[in-house]
Amino acid sequence: MTGLAARLRASGTTATELVAQALGAARASTTGAFVELLPERAARDAAVADRELAAGTDRGPLHGIPVAVKDNIDVAGAWTRCGTRDLGHHRAERDAAIVSGLRDAGAVVIGKTRTHELAWGMVTPGCRNPLDPARITGGSSGGSAAAVAEGVVPVALGTDTGGSIRNPAALCGVVGIKAGVGTLPTDGIAPLAPTQDSPGVLGATVSDCRIALTALGAEPTGQPVRRVGVIRDRWAGRVEPPVAAAVDDAVSRLCESGVDVVEVAVRNSGLAPAASYVIMLAESARHWWPADPDQVGPQVREVLRLGARVADADYQRALAVRRSIIAGLDDAFGQVDALLLASSPVPASRIGDELTECAGRMLPVQAAHASTTSLASVSGVPALSVPGLPGPGGLPTGVQFLAPTTDPLLRCAELLERGRGDAENG
C-alpha cells in the first residue's frame, strides 16, 4: 500500500503548497494537537525543497512533506516545554538527532505537538481525539497521534517509555512504532527513564512509518514473517470485547496471508507492568526530582515523589525481573518471528474519567492503558501498533506486534493493512 507521504509527493503539489495547507489545517484544528507552529521556518524550508526538486535533487519520499514533532524533542529555535508549566523548558539551540534525520530527508517541520507532562502519562491533557472529541487521544504522544489522525501531517515524531507511541496510535486509529531501546539516537530528547526511553514515529499508514524509519537509519532486513505468536497471558487476556475481537480478526487475516499463528507463553511476562512502573518511577525521579511544586501539576509531582522513595534494592529487583522477562522473550523469539497482543485493552476513555471498565473490572485509566504496552517497554524490544477492527461506534482499536527488529513488525502490519484494505474494497 502506498503511503500518504508518497502519494503527496506524486500529486504534483509543491512543497510550499503542502506546507501551507498543513499549517492552515493545524490552525483550524480543534483537537489541541499543537502547542507551537513554526510558519516562518517551515515556509523557508518548503521553498528550499521546491528549489532542490526543481534542480533535480530528490532526497526521497519525505522531501517537501510536512511533519510534526512531539514537544519533548528539540527543534532548533523552538521552545521545548515537555508539557509542563515550567520544568525542563528551554529554547533549543539545535535539532535533536532524529529531527535532523528527517530534515536530511527533506521533511519540513511545521510545529511541536502536545504531550503529557514530562511524557509521564497515558493521557494528553488539552488534547481531543479527532474521531470523538469527547474522548482522550491517549498519551503521552497524544498530540502527534491527533495531528496524524486528523490529516494535518502524514508523519509525526513521538517517544515511548511506557507505551507513549503505541497507546495514542491505537486510540486515534493510526500506526505507531517505537524502535528498540538504543537503536535510534536520543540526543536532544528530554529523558524520562533511560532504561526504557525510545523515540519513534506515528504515521497515517505502515508505509509512511517505514519511510520515516528508513530516513532515520533503520535499514530493512527483508526478513520474511512465517510464524507469529499470540500472547494470551493474564495481562494480555484482560481486554474489553471489542479489543478481543480485533485481536481475533488480526489472527484470521494473518492466517489468510499464509502466516502460521500459534499461542505462545512468554516467561514472566505478567510481571512486566509492575517492573516497568518501578523502573520508570525510580529513573524519572533521579532526573527530575525535586521539582518546584509550581513547575508541574499534582499528578506528575506525586509520581516523582513516589519515585524518590523507591529503595535501591527495589529498583535492582525490578531490573532483575526485567532481565528475566528479556530471557523469556528471547526464548519466544526462538519459536516465532513476531508476537501479537492488544495495543490497549480498552478503546479511548472519555475525557475526565479517572476509571475505565476493563474485562469486568474498574481500573484507573492510566494503569489500564499501560498494561499491554509494558512488555515491550520494560524489555526494550521494538513494537508497533496498527489499527485493528473498529469497535462499537467506530472507536478505533489497535493490535500490537513485538519483534527483535523493526522489519518483522512492519511486514506483519502491512499484511493486516493490506488485508483490511482488500476486504473494504471487496
Side-chain angles (χ1 to χ4, degrees):
M1 181 177 290
T2 302
L4 177 58
R7 293 201 299 274
L8 289 174
R9 275 294 309 278
S11 69
T13 308
T14 67
T16 298
E17 291 168 336
L18 287 175
V19 168
Q21 291 168 8
L23 287 167
R27 292 189 185 100
S29 173
T30 59
T31 64
F34 287 87
V35 294
E36 182 180 6
L37 295 176
L38 307 169
E40 295 180 2
R41 172 71 187 270
R44 291 197 302 270
D45 289 350
V48 170
D50 282 332
R51 290 196 296 271
E52 289 179 335
L53 290 165
T57 299
D58 191 335
R59 299 180 185 274
L62 286 179
H63 201 171
I65 298 298
V67 300
V69 177
K70 185 178 179 179
D71 197 28
N72 63 342
I73 303 173
D74 285 350
V75 171
W79 281 95
T80 300
R81 299 176 181 85
C82 300
T84 71
R85 299 171 182 171
D86 187 43
L87 186 62
H89 287 205
H90 63 277
R91 187 181 289 278
E93 296 182 0
R94 60 183 62 85
D95 287 333
I98 58 172
V99 175
S100 294
L102 290 190
R103 287 201 198 275
D104 289 345
V108 178
V109 178
I110 68 162
K112 305 292 293 290
T113 57
R114 194 176 301 275
T115 178
H116 191 283
E117 287 186 295
L118 301 184
W120 222 138
M122 304 300 275
V123 177
T124 304
C127 208
R128 296 181 176 274
N129 196 310
L131 301 178
D132 183 345
R135 296 182 182 270
I136 64 172
T137 57
S140 63
S141 305
S144 289
V148 172
E150 201 172 11
V152 178
V153 291
V155 168
L157 292 177
T159 61
D160 191 311
T161 303
S164 289
I165 286 174
R166 292 161 288 149
N167 168 252
L171 303 192
C172 291
V174 300
V175 181
I177 181 169
K178 85 169 189 84
V181 169
T183 60
L184 289 181
T186 56
D187 299 352
I189 301 176
L192 179 58
T195 294
Q196 298 184 187
D197 288 346
S198 179
V201 297
L202 298 100
T205 66
V206 181
S207 177
D208 290 331
C209 288
R210 184 184 285 277
I211 288 168
L213 285 172
T214 300
L216 296 177
E219 293 294 333
T221 63
Q223 176 184 343
V225 174
R226 296 186 177 92
R227 174 176 280 198
V228 170
V230 182
I231 303 175
R232 297 195 189 274
D233 68 11
R234 67 189 185 96
W235 287 104
R238 292 176 178 174
V239 301
E240 281 292 273
V243 177
V247 173
D248 290 342
D249 177 71
V251 169
S252 296
R253 293 186 185 282
L254 289 171
C255 291
E256 290 168 1
S257 300
V259 176
D260 183 22
V261 181
V262 297
E263 290 199 9
V264 173
V266 178
R267 190 170 67 254
N268 295 321
S269 62
L271 300 175
S276 176
Y277 188 58
V278 171
I279 291 168
M280 290 178 65
L281 282 174
E283 294 187 358
S284 62
R286 287 180 179 182
H287 186 82
W288 294 108
W289 183 261
D292 186 318
D294 293 332
Q295 291 182 306
V296 293
Q299 184 253 329
V300 168
R301 190 161 60 247
E302 181 59 25
V303 296
L304 292 177
R305 182 181 291 113
L306 287 172
R309 295 173 179 170
V310 173
D312 185 65
D314 292 330
Y315 173 60
Q316 294 301 325
R317 274 193 287 271
L319 292 177
V321 171
R322 174 181 183 268
R323 291 190 290 271
S324 72
I325 291 171
I326 292 172
L329 278 170
D330 288 342
D331 288 345
F333 290 138
Q335 306 170 50
V336 297
D337 301 307
L339 295 167
L340 167 67
L341 72 162
S343 303
S344 170
V346 294
S349 306
R350 292 190 175 276
I351 292 174
D353 285 357
E354 295 184 1
L355 299 174
T356 186
E357 185 173 358
C358 181
R361 301 179 302 157
M362 297 303 294
L363 298 177
V365 168
Q366 300 273 4
H369 285 294
S371 62
T372 52
T373 55
S374 60
L375 179 57
S377 300
V378 74
S379 63
V381 302
L384 176 150
S385 177
V386 63
L389 190 71
L395 280 180
T397 64
V399 297
Q400 180 184 187
F401 292 100
L402 285 64
T405 62
T406 58
D407 206 44
L409 304 178
L410 294 163
R411 293 176 72 84
C412 286
E414 285 165 349
L415 290 175
L416 292 192
E417 192 176 67
R418 187 180 306 120
R420 184 158 296 113
D422 292 343
E424 291 171 355
N425 295 329

